[in-house]
Amino acid sequence: MKRRILVFMLTFTIMFVGIFSNVYADTILFPVIAVNQPNVTTIVSVFNRPGFASTHLHFIYRMKCTYEGCAASGTPNYEGVCLLQSFTRTTYNGDLVSFDASGVLNGGNALFNDPNTYDGTFHMSSVGANRAYLLVRNSNSTGSPVSAGATTALGGEAIVMDIATGAAWGYRAVNDTFREDYEFTQVGVTTAITGGGTNCKWFSFFPPNEWTTRFFITPIGDDMDIANLSTTVALVNDASGMTTTGVISRAGSKLNFTKPVDATCTAGIDLVDMMDSTTFASIQNTGGWAWLCEQGVNPITAYKLEYVVNNPVYGGTNNNGYLMSIGNDRW
Amino acid sequence: MRRNILSATGTLFLVLFLQSLAWGLVKTGPIDFTLEPILSADWVCYIHDQDLYIRGVQSQPIKIRDSKKAGASITSPQLIVSGDIVFLLWIEKGAGETKMHCRISRDRGKTFEPVQFLETGKGLASARAVIDTKGRICCIGLSQSEKTPFSLHLSLDHGKTFKKHTLTEDSAMTIYNLTPVTTDTMIYLFYSGISEGEKAIGVVPFDLSSGEFQRNTILQETEEGVSFQEAFQVKNQPAIIYKTSRNQIYALEGQAKISGEWRKFTIQETKGLDVARLDSYVWDDGRILAVFSAEDRGKYKQRIYAASSEDSGSSWQVQRIDSKQFDNTRSWLPRIAVDGNNVAVVWEDSRDIRSGIRMKISSDRGKTWYEKDIPVSEGKYYAFRPRISSVKKTLNIAWQQYRDDERRTADIVIQSLQWDKALKMARQKEKPVDIEKKARLLRERVNAYWKGMVKKDHKVTYSIHDPFYRVRVPYDSYVVHRGPMVYKAYNIENVRIQGNEATVKVKVNYEVPKLIVLGRETSIPLTEVVTEDMYLFIDGTWHRKFVDAMSGGSSIDY
């Protein structure tokens, strides 16, 4: 009996310590990191909450080529898997560090006259056009997770920018308040589209003949530090059941097609790649609207980017991005 | 020397004069180019300044309906020219209500009877019109209402009076697309949509003698939807081809009524191909010739195909009919016209980057095709969405054409061409492209561009950018947005040409001595990067394609 009690207590202790040892090792996710030297870079800022800082932060880039032809196999952008790059850097109580993920600005070291010293650079090691997501976690000097004492110990922002033209868009880092160990859930993130096609977000799009519309999709789930999570996204034109794939034209006609697009790790998916050629021909000069649905098993974070080349009708060049996976239009 | 110039000029005028004899051309606009051209015989229908117009190859524009007087916007126009009858049908969307109207001319457009009101309804979405060889006119109003998905207005007296017939379904029925086909005794209304709770393609026959709808028949459940449908009659029996997908693999399938039974068929060779659209012609002996454009995403862009069947669709022979040199650019949305054994197919073709209209000819009912893809539109204009018809040994081709590369304002163009001239053109050999000269020219242009970048010679670099970018971005604006990079040296690493598109890899050394980012001054030391640029062969030379580094967007899609 004593032995059973001992085993139970040991098991309980392991579980208790196991659970709570991860609870406060806060992790944030930057779902979209885009670099394309010499023009495009992503300026990342990470800050930690005073009183809840660790001695170090562990950084993990999951990265892949932006375009086809730069990897041995697969479609790098959509279905290609990500490589891993990680490093650990010093941090300080209430610290803010900003850096250029491409490494072009200040060699990837801390930007903006940072008074603190860090033990290395922060940029991606890859060259050329790359996309990635970035994880940042409270850690010790070896990169192992440590409790910082809060579920929101870390915060962050990112700006994707073209340093030649000044075009930019930005977003806040994602912090799952319920999971801390490289796991992100739809509930904890609160801004993800749920897997399974039951939670979709509606959006409009301008004439593809003039405007480029692109979705930056990053599936979220377990083990984002090592896993290549995949997803399937599709456009849907019927709110009842969210299963009729298609779009709705500017005139209100429903256009049907089957065109699911698979994405692994992270992807920039062109709107026109999500519709069939018949539909593209119909809405090429007008645009339309639809729901963006996730039809796989993993929830996604989704950002929508719209771009038009200098056009006086629209006030010049426009480059606008926003978080799609937020709002109250869930079904 | 002067004599040579005069001689050359004289020859040029002679060529232009002879060309103008071969081609009769009229142009009108600006038109609403979101509405694709509507061509019937030698007449086109279009929206100009929100009003509905028609014009013939040999007549001036005629205003059919004034939108301001109607107090509504005009949508879904239909035009049918049959003998001396010119018939128009359209939808008027006004505040709170939508109406369907028609108008008719019985003397080939010399005079028009007053506008006839057919019906009103909030759910009216689009209109369809068909006239059979006996002069019976059928107008269909397609509704978003699930209980009365469409109504049919039938005239048995050449459009003098119409009688309305409404299909009322017990179970909810949603129609996405509807195509009528007439036979001697019936109108077959093929639809794709949701019927009896299932996504399906079906048909509702209408008996012309009794004036009643027959039972709605679901021909095929299409779980993954139908993108388009094309219906026709084969030996006075109805048939339909539609695009759907099974297990997310595209397929062209069809149904034909044979001996009173519906028989399903599949065009096997199209399995997995994303077909954009299809047009067809059926000869009296039952030979079906369908032309369509299709792509295999990731392998090649939209290409032009012809498929023929001698057995009401049971078996098909499929062949590519356009040039295979330009698989990396789009050739699509073909249309067909027939005169006896002669067949002409026109399509929208982006091989020259600036889209144009090309035509292919067969003189044996589509069994074999002349090699030449005849250029129809002028190369300096972006031309799109062609239509073609054949009337009395004359081909009529209509298309839309932007006035310049900004692609903001478009006209509609109609050209007439004698069949024998078209056949003569098809037999002429095309001048082969000097590939070595093209490659040499590309390297010259790339060198000129990067030398200009190193020297900061913005006039040179601007002039090498594609015309679609330059028409939108004035030189002054271009100069302002050159960025802070100072280019020191370059080396062309690799060049790959496919058709009129080239990929060029260049190793570049650059630095940024001073850069303000988010309000702070910084700099970039001498750095080496490999850039990959796209060059486009337009108007006889190579241009650097503008691509926005952040979004991947550009000024031209092809």
Side-chain angles (χ1 to χ4, degrees), chain A:
Chain A
M1 184 64 184
K2 271 186 181 175
R3 195 175 169 189
R4 279 187 183 176
I5 291 168
L6 273 171
V7 170
F8 174 78
M9 285 182 69
L10 187 63
T11 309
F12 181 80
T13 306
I14 289 167
M15 282 177 67
F16 184 85
V17 172
I19 291 166
F20 282 88
S21 65
N22 285 336
V23 165
Y24 298 120
D26 197 26
T27 308
I28 52 173
L29 166 68
F30 294 87
V32 181
I33 302 287
V35 300
N36 189 2
Q37 293 144 338
N39 286 30
V40 180
T41 184
T42 304
I43 306 290
V44 177
S45 293
V46 179
F47 37 89
N48 64 56
R49 196 169 151 188
F52 297 95
S54 52
T55 58
H56 291 76
L57 295 175
H58 191 60
F59 293 77
I60 295 179
Y61 284 109
R62 301 301 312 280
M63 56 199 180
K64 67 203 285 191
C65 292
T66 303
Y67 303 115
E68 292 180 42
C70 69
S73 63
T75 306
N77 181 14
Y78 289 10
E79 295 175 65
V81 296
C82 282
L83 302 174
L84 183 149
Q85 180 198 347
S86 66
F87 50 84
T88 304
R89 297 288 179 263
T90 317
T91 190
Y92 304 92
N93 189 37
D95 186 38
L96 161 65
V97 62
S98 303
F99 55 87
D100 167 17
S102 76
V104 166
L105 301 174
N106 206 24
N109 288 292
L111 292 169
F112 309 127
N113 308 318
D114 198 315
N116 294 320
T117 54
Y118 304 93
D119 34 5
T121 59
F122 295 85
H123 64 286
M124 292 163 65
S125 57
S126 60
V127 293
N130 280 264
R131 65 176 71 261
Y133 64 78
L134 170 65
L135 296 156
V136 184
R137 181 164 85 165
N138 290 129
S139 75
N140 61 18
S141 61
T142 63
S144 298
V146 295
S147 165
T151 56
T152 50
L154 291 172
E157 290 178 358
I159 303 174
V160 184
M161 61 191 299
D162 183 331
I163 58 175
T165 63
W169 67 279
Y171 63 89
R172 293 176 65 205
V174 174
N175 193 333
D176 190 324
T177 51
F178 298 118
R179 302 288 179 93
E180 310 298 351
D181 46 356
Y182 300 132
E183 290 182 10
F184 290 83
T185 60
Q186 193 272 333
V187 175
V189 167
T190 72
T191 59
I193 299 175
T194 311
T198 55
N199 180 333
C200 310
K201 301 293 176 188
W202 52 4
F203 70 98
S204 63
F205 56 91
F206 297 130
N209 198 29
E210 289 188 85
W211 290 75
T212 299
T213 302
R214 180 172 284 183
F215 299 106
F216 292 109
I217 304 285
T218 302
I220 60 171
D222 296 345
D223 304 324
M224 288 190 69
D225 53 332
I226 51 170
N228 278 291
L229 299 177
S230 61
T231 188
T232 302
V233 288
L235 303 176
V236 162
N237 65 12
D238 192 344
S240 56
M242 290 294 175
T243 54
T244 304
T245 50
V247 301
I248 297 170
S249 74
R250 196 169 280 276
S253 304
K254 285 185 178 175
L255 306 163
N256 298 294
F257 53 84
T258 299
K259 189 79 181 182
V261 175
D262 296 328
T264 299
C265 186
T266 186
I269 300 175
D270 285 333
L271 172 77
V272 295
D273 284 350
M274 298 178 73
M275 59 180 74
D276 76 334
S277 56
T278 310
T279 304
F280 177 62
S282 297
I283 54 83
Q284 192 181 10
N285 292 313
T286 54
W289 66 279
W291 280 270
L292 175 71
C293 294
E294 200 283 319
Q295 297 188 325
V297 292
N298 292 306
I300 57 170
T301 61
Y303 298 83
K304 178 189 164 199
L305 186 78
E306 292 162 309
Y307 173 80
V308 67
V309 180
N310 192 30
N311 190 324
V313 175
Y314 312 119
T317 296
N318 290 297
N319 211 332
N320 177 49
Y322 74 88
L323 176 62
M324 264 202 78
S325 44
I326 193 168
N328 57 3
D329 53 326
R330 290 183 187 166
W331 297 82

Side-chain angles (χ1 to χ4, degrees), chain B residues 89 91 100 118-119 123-129 138-144 148-153 165 175 178:
Chain B
L89 176 73
I91 297 281
M100 188 163 74
L118 291 175
E119 72 168 285
L124 261 179
S126 59
R128 305 280 187 277
C138 172
C139 303
I140 300 152
L142 196 56
S143 171
Q144 290 170 337
T148 53
F150 60 83
S151 56
L152 187 150
H153 300 258
H165 306 266
I175 291 183
L178 186 139

Side-chain angles (χ1 to χ4, degrees), chain B residues 294-325:
Chain B
E295 70 185 84
D296 193 345
R297 191 70 65 100
K299 291 183 181 167
Y300 53 84
K301 290 191 175 180
Q302 290 277 319
R303 312 311 310 161
I304 308 298
Y305 293 81
S308 59
S309 174
E310 310 282 355
D311 52 10
S312 296
S314 296
S315 61
W316 291 85
Q317 287 73 50
V318 179
Q319 58 176 314
R320 268 274 306 268
I321 63 169
D322 62 338
S323 169
K324 290 187 170 64
Q325 290 175 44

Side-chain angles (χ1 to χ4, degrees), chain B residues 487-548:
Chain B
Y487 293 96
K488 296 290 185 183
Y490 73 92
N491 186 52
I492 301 172
E493 297 283 296
N494 190 30
V495 168
R496 187 165 55 88
I497 299 174
Q498 189 183 5
N500 288 320
E501 189 184 53
T503 309
V504 180
K505 279 190 178 172
V506 181
K507 190 180 279 181
V508 178
N509 291 309
Y510 77 99
E511 65 180 6
V512 180
K514 184 182 171 185
L515 175 66
I516 309 289
V517 176
L518 303 175
R520 294 283 182 175
E521 188 176 318
T522 183
S523 64
I524 300 172
L526 194 63
T527 307
E528 184 179 271
V529 291
V530 176
T531 67
E532 189 171 287
D533 291 342
M534 201 69 86
Y535 280 74
L536 307 172
F537 196 76
I538 308 166
D539 300 333
T541 191
W542 290 98
H543 297 266
R544 182 175 183 269
K545 181 186 177 185
F546 166 76
V547 178
D548 176 61

Side-chain angles (χ1 to χ4, degrees), chain B residues 35 49 111 354 424:
Chain B
L35 179 74
D49 200 16
T111 58
R354 187 185 289 119
K424 197 175 169 186

